[in-house]
Amino acid sequence: QDRFALHLYSVNGKHLSTVPLDEEVTAMCLTEEFVVLGTMQCGLEIRDLQSHILVGLEDGKLIVVGAGQPAEVS
């Protein structure tokens, strides 16, 4: 059972997707393309609302995780 999750809905209320989260979200900023999440454990995640996840690592690096097929991920 997931304790924390991020749900994406269309403007007319249709549920589009759910992503389980490992940590409690304490801050969120939403733009037209991205959502930036800050967590209780000082984590930072930047998620593309279409298909990519950008994750900030402890050493300051930013990695990109693609959720689509390799040809779709840039």
Side-chain angles (χ1 to χ4, degrees):
Q1 178 179 352
D2 298 318
R3 284 188 54 190
F4 309 110
L6 178 65
H7 301 276
L8 179 63
Y9 291 87
S10 69
V11 293
N12 63 359
K14 179 181 177 186
H15 186 258
L16 300 175
S17 66
T18 299
V19 176
L21 301 172
D22 295 329
E23 302 176 20
E24 180 180 359
V25 173
T26 57
M28 181 186 310
C29 179
L30 185 64
T31 69
E32 194 170 308
E33 298 179 33
F34 299 97
V35 61
V36 180
L37 305 172
T39 66
M40 181 69 81
Q41 291 77 20
C42 300
L44 176 70
E45 293 187 23
I46 305 167
R47 294 178 179 255
D48 183 322
L49 294 176
Q50 301 304 316
S51 63
H52 302 77
I53 302 169
L54 297 105
V55 180
L57 303 178
E58 289 181 7
D59 61 3
K61 294 179 182 174
L62 185 67
I63 61 169
V64 179
V65 179
Q69 297 297 324
E72 298 173 341
V73 177
S74 57

